[in-house]
Amino acid sequence: MTDDDDRDGTPDTDPRHIDPAGDLADAVESGDLDLSLDDDQDAADLREFVDAAESGELGPVDPGLEAQVRIARALLADVDDDGGEDA
């Protein structure tokens, strides 16, 4: 394996396993992909989503739901760090 091969792999995942949702969540969490809540979006709604997912209200956890929760947590961390609404 060359240095180029290391860079071409998916972040923090097994490059033999295709997990686009997990890869997207990896990119958001690492800061490689910069996302933020829009002015008309409510952080409280996002927190409700995370709470519902973690309590099992949204059904069994699957890789897609897990990635959504990871992305939501990253967005909420940015809101909290910035002292934004509902922080």
Side-chain angles (χ1 to χ4, degrees):
M1 184 179 263
T2 67
D3 289 342
D4 290 336
D5 291 336
D6 291 337
R7 283 179 283 198
D8 293 337
T10 54
D12 297 328
T13 59
D14 181 350
R16 295 167 293 177
H17 174 73
I18 297 173
D19 181 14
D23 295 343
L24 181 60
D26 289 342
V28 171
E29 290 175 332
S30 71
D32 290 341
L33 182 61
D34 187 29
L35 297 180
S36 61
L37 289 179
D38 198 12
D39 291 338
D40 65 345
Q41 294 175 314
D42 189 2
D45 291 340
L46 198 53
R47 283 188 184 91
E48 286 179 27
F49 163 74
V50 170
D51 291 343
E54 290 176 342
S55 70
E57 291 177 43
L58 302 180
V61 176
D62 61 33
L65 180 58
E66 181 180 351
Q68 291 175 52
V69 169
R70 289 173 55 201
I71 292 167
R73 284 186 191 140
L75 287 167
L76 290 170
D78 285 345
V79 168
D80 293 342
D81 289 345
D82 293 341
E85 286 183 39
D86 300 319

